[in-house]
Amino acid sequence: MIRVELPRFDRLAAWRAAARRLASARIQPGAVTWAEAGAAPDLFGAEPLPPPGLHPVRATPDFLALCRQVGFHGDPQRWSLLYTALLRVQEQRDLLGNPADPLVIRLQALARSVRRDIHKMHAFLRFHELPATGPRRRFAAWFEPEHPILQAVTPFFARRFADMDWRIVTPEGVAHFDGALRFSDPVPRPDLPPDASHALWQTYFANIFNPARIKTRAMRSEMPLKYWKNLPETRLVPQMLADAPRRVAAMAAAGASEAPGFAAKVTARLRLPTDETAPATLEQAGAQAAACQRCDLCHAATRTVWGEGDPDAALMIVGEAPGDHEDLRGRPFVGPAGQLLRAVLAEVGLDPDRAWLTNAVKHFKFAPQGKRRLHRNPSAAEIDHCRWWLNQERRLVAPRLTVALGASAALALTGRKAPLTARRGSVEPALDGGPVLLTWHPSLILRLPAAEARAARSDFAADLGRAAAMLGSQARSRSLGSRDQ
Ligand code: URA
């Protein structure tokens, strides 16, 4: 009996090299045992492989493609089945084209199961972010596929997440990526902490869950139960199922809508506090806004980013919407654009802590791209929906002057869409009557080429300087003053 030992990784290449030599000597399948890493040693010794090149061996492209799938199945018989097929392909080149052949049927079933498993791992693997130790972000994931497919799936993750370091730990072994892929022996399941991206998965899942269309069987077959324990979003399932009848009743009570615009108005009215329940304080308003579902942005964003600063500020500064940093930290203007804003405010003698800093829209709008979240401008409808909150802030802070940063803030405050290029530096009346000074958004300055950025920054500083002047020399000399200064 010839015994072929296959290594833990690169098994398929090892099988192909041995199978070619065996087939070239026309060794019959029953005379070979295929042993995988960890198999018991052969107590009776084993015959060596025959020398290569006795007879030509030819494999067809469809057979090689089948090997690349079947080789990742967990069935220990697969190597022997593939070898049997290889011998038969020498005589019958179109063997795999015969769908009635029992060997073909069996191999195709194994291949199908591997394809399904690879698809599940691509879809359900969730990375956890680890503390950084260098310039690249680090992630780790634990996954239990049905078959030993680690080497089959990792090229996908290497392509997709090429700009970060990661580790995928499975019962079969560990894949390490730091620009190059390498594999090592299995280790115990690591203890991985949840991270911010898990909240994103949960909000996304809660958003796509339709309580009126519960198909638990389909859910289980699309997302088999065995994966649930490692998926952050499935923790929501029991609660969402329990809550479904109440949500369906509420949907029925809300009635059918006729057109998207009409539906949006109806839902806005149903979900929104009306003027009778208008908050009495900024804290109350912030707490209500935290649960806002006026538009769909709430579902993908991590949280509502409410305004902050001096509740008695004479100056209100309104940006467009929180960015990635603001969404993760829950505070406005803490990312690069916010830093530029704060630096220029300081240059013109305005203290950002004594202003009220907020946004036209309170949720981050983005398009996911791999692990990145690319900023998107809110639509006019989203600005419209969120104006209710901006109005609460304006009523409660009652600023003497408002600075609108960029076109979205200008639209939210003045109701006018005309291009900002013709309006920048001017003062227009807000919808509620107060003066609004229009200027560039600092993120525009960060995006422009150097020469244009310098010019835009100097416009921006001039506009904020004008705001300081409008608020009066007394306020300027004490940094930014509140209304009573
Ligand atoms: N850009 C904004 O408009 N607002 C923020 O809070 C941050 C960046």
PDB file of all heavy atoms in Angstrom, residues 283-296:
ATOM      1  N   GLU A 283     -30.983  69.854  26.760  1.00  0.00           N
ATOM      2  CA  GLU A 283     -30.740  68.448  27.132  1.00  0.00           C
ATOM      3  C   GLU A 283     -31.921  67.591  26.695  1.00  0.00           C
ATOM      4  O   GLU A 283     -31.742  66.516  26.138  1.00  0.00           O
ATOM      5  CB  GLU A 283     -30.560  68.282  28.654  1.00  0.00           C
ATOM      6  CG  GLU A 283     -29.266  68.826  29.204  1.00  0.00           C
ATOM      7  CD  GLU A 283     -29.267  70.352  29.227  1.00  0.00           C
ATOM      8  OE1 GLU A 283     -30.338  70.961  29.465  1.00  0.00           O
ATOM      9  OE2 GLU A 283     -28.205  70.943  28.959  1.00  0.00           O
ATOM     10  N   GLN A 284     -33.133  68.096  26.965  1.00  0.00           N
ATOM     11  CA  GLN A 284     -34.326  67.331  26.540  1.00  0.00           C
ATOM     12  C   GLN A 284     -34.346  67.166  25.021  1.00  0.00           C
ATOM     13  O   GLN A 284     -34.634  66.091  24.492  1.00  0.00           O
ATOM     14  CB  GLN A 284     -35.596  68.066  26.951  1.00  0.00           C
ATOM     15  CG  GLN A 284     -36.064  67.763  28.347  1.00  0.00           C
ATOM     16  CD  GLN A 284     -37.322  68.607  28.662  1.00  0.00           C
ATOM     17  OE1 GLN A 284     -38.015  69.080  27.771  1.00  0.00           O
ATOM     18  NE2 GLN A 284     -37.582  68.775  29.954  1.00  0.00           N
ATOM     19  N   ALA A 285     -34.023  68.260  24.337  1.00  0.00           N
ATOM     20  CA  ALA A 285     -34.039  68.201  22.866  1.00  0.00           C
ATOM     21  C   ALA A 285     -33.024  67.168  22.384  1.00  0.00           C
ATOM     22  O   ALA A 285     -33.313  66.360  21.498  1.00  0.00           O
ATOM     23  CB  ALA A 285     -33.715  69.577  22.290  1.00  0.00           C
ATOM     24  N   GLY A 286     -31.830  67.188  23.003  1.00  0.00           N
ATOM     25  CA  GLY A 286     -30.786  66.233  22.599  1.00  0.00           C
ATOM     26  C   GLY A 286     -31.232  64.805  22.851  1.00  0.00           C
ATOM     27  O   GLY A 286     -30.987  63.908  22.033  1.00  0.00           O
ATOM     28  N   ALA A 287     -31.917  64.592  23.992  1.00  0.00           N
ATOM     29  CA  ALA A 287     -32.367  63.225  24.322  1.00  0.00           C
ATOM     30  C   ALA A 287     -33.423  62.770  23.312  1.00  0.00           C
ATOM     31  O   ALA A 287     -33.430  61.618  22.869  1.00  0.00           O
ATOM     32  CB  ALA A 287     -32.912  63.182  25.740  1.00  0.00           C
ATOM     33  N   GLN A 288     -34.324  63.684  22.925  1.00  0.00           N
ATOM     34  CA  GLN A 288     -35.337  63.310  21.923  1.00  0.00           C
ATOM     35  C   GLN A 288     -34.681  63.039  20.573  1.00  0.00           C
ATOM     36  O   GLN A 288     -35.018  62.080  19.880  1.00  0.00           O
ATOM     37  CB  GLN A 288     -36.362  64.432  21.759  1.00  0.00           C
ATOM     38  CG  GLN A 288     -37.323  64.556  22.930  1.00  0.00           C
ATOM     39  CD  GLN A 288     -38.315  65.707  22.712  1.00  0.00           C
ATOM     40  OE1 GLN A 288     -38.329  66.336  21.663  1.00  0.00           O
ATOM     41  NE2 GLN A 288     -39.128  65.960  23.711  1.00  0.00           N
ATOM     42  N   ALA A 289     -33.712  63.881  20.227  1.00  0.00           N
ATOM     43  CA  ALA A 289     -33.061  63.709  18.919  1.00  0.00           C
ATOM     44  C   ALA A 289     -32.309  62.378  18.853  1.00  0.00           C
ATOM     45  O   ALA A 289     -32.159  61.793  17.784  1.00  0.00           O
ATOM     46  CB  ALA A 289     -32.107  64.868  18.645  1.00  0.00           C
ATOM     47  N   ALA A 290     -31.863  61.905  20.020  1.00  0.00           N
ATOM     48  CA  ALA A 290     -31.108  60.640  20.037  1.00  0.00           C
ATOM     49  C   ALA A 290     -31.961  59.483  19.520  1.00  0.00           C
ATOM     50  O   ALA A 290     -31.432  58.471  19.064  1.00  0.00           O
ATOM     51  CB  ALA A 290     -30.604  60.352  21.449  1.00  0.00           C
ATOM     52  N   ALA A 291     -33.292  59.624  19.622  1.00  0.00           N
ATOM     53  CA  ALA A 291     -34.173  58.540  19.158  1.00  0.00           C
ATOM     54  C   ALA A 291     -34.830  58.894  17.817  1.00  0.00           C
ATOM     55  O   ALA A 291     -35.753  58.206  17.381  1.00  0.00           O
ATOM     56  CB  ALA A 291     -35.246  58.272  20.208  1.00  0.00           C
ATOM     57  N   CYS A 292     -34.363  59.958  17.180  1.00  0.00           N
ATOM     58  CA  CYS A 292     -35.046  60.433  15.955  1.00  0.00           C
ATOM     59  C   CYS A 292     -34.959  59.420  14.817  1.00  0.00           C
ATOM     60  O   CYS A 292     -33.906  58.834  14.576  1.00  0.00           O
ATOM     61  CB  CYS A 292     -34.406  61.746  15.504  1.00  0.00           C
ATOM     62  SG  CYS A 292     -35.147  62.347  13.968  1.00  0.00           S
ATOM     63  N   GLN A 293     -36.089  59.222  14.150  1.00  0.00           N
ATOM     64  CA  GLN A 293     -36.115  58.364  12.963  1.00  0.00           C
ATOM     65  C   GLN A 293     -36.827  59.093  11.830  1.00  0.00           C
ATOM     66  O   GLN A 293     -37.546  58.506  11.046  1.00  0.00           O
ATOM     67  CB  GLN A 293     -36.861  57.063  13.254  1.00  0.00           C
ATOM     68  CG  GLN A 293     -36.190  56.210  14.285  1.00  0.00           C
ATOM     69  CD  GLN A 293     -36.886  54.861  14.421  1.00  0.00           C
ATOM     70  OE1 GLN A 293     -37.772  54.530  13.661  1.00  0.00           O
ATOM     71  NE2 GLN A 293     -36.463  54.109  15.406  1.00  0.00           N
ATOM     72  N   ARG A 294     -36.654  60.407  11.775  1.00  0.00           N
ATOM     73  CA  ARG A 294     -37.379  61.174  10.758  1.00  0.00           C
ATOM     74  C   ARG A 294     -36.970  60.797   9.356  1.00  0.00           C
ATOM     75  O   ARG A 294     -37.736  60.915   8.424  1.00  0.00           O
ATOM     76  CB  ARG A 294     -37.121  62.664  10.950  1.00  0.00           C
ATOM     77  CG  ARG A 294     -37.552  63.170  12.282  1.00  0.00           C
ATOM     78  CD  ARG A 294     -37.612  64.665  12.261  1.00  0.00           C
ATOM     79  NE  ARG A 294     -38.747  65.082  11.465  1.00  0.00           N
ATOM     80  CZ  ARG A 294     -39.100  66.344  11.279  1.00  0.00           C
ATOM     81  NH1 ARG A 294     -38.374  67.301  11.804  1.00  0.00           N
ATOM     82  NH2 ARG A 294     -40.146  66.655  10.566  1.00  0.00           N
ATOM     83  N   CYS A 295     -35.718  60.421   9.195  1.00  0.00           N
ATOM     84  CA  CYS A 295     -35.301  59.984   7.857  1.00  0.00           C
ATOM     85  C   CYS A 295     -34.481  58.713   8.041  1.00  0.00           C
ATOM     86  O   CYS A 295     -34.241  58.280   9.163  1.00  0.00           O
ATOM     87  CB  CYS A 295     -34.490  61.075   7.154  1.00  0.00           C
ATOM     88  SG  CYS A 295     -32.861  61.317   7.870  1.00  0.00           S
ATOM     89  N   ASP A 296     -34.036  58.146   6.953  1.00  0.00           N
ATOM     90  CA  ASP A 296     -33.362  56.842   7.034  1.00  0.00           C
ATOM     91  C   ASP A 296     -31.918  56.910   7.507  1.00  0.00           C
ATOM     92  O   ASP A 296     -31.313  55.884   7.753  1.00  0.00           O
ATOM     93  CB  ASP A 296     -33.401  56.165   5.657  1.00  0.00           C
ATOM     94  CG  ASP A 296     -34.792  55.652   5.366  1.00  0.00           C
ATOM     95  OD1 ASP A 296     -35.546  55.458   6.340  1.00  0.00           O
ATOM     96  OD2 ASP A 296     -35.131  55.472   4.188  1.00  0.00           O
TER      97      ASP A 296
END
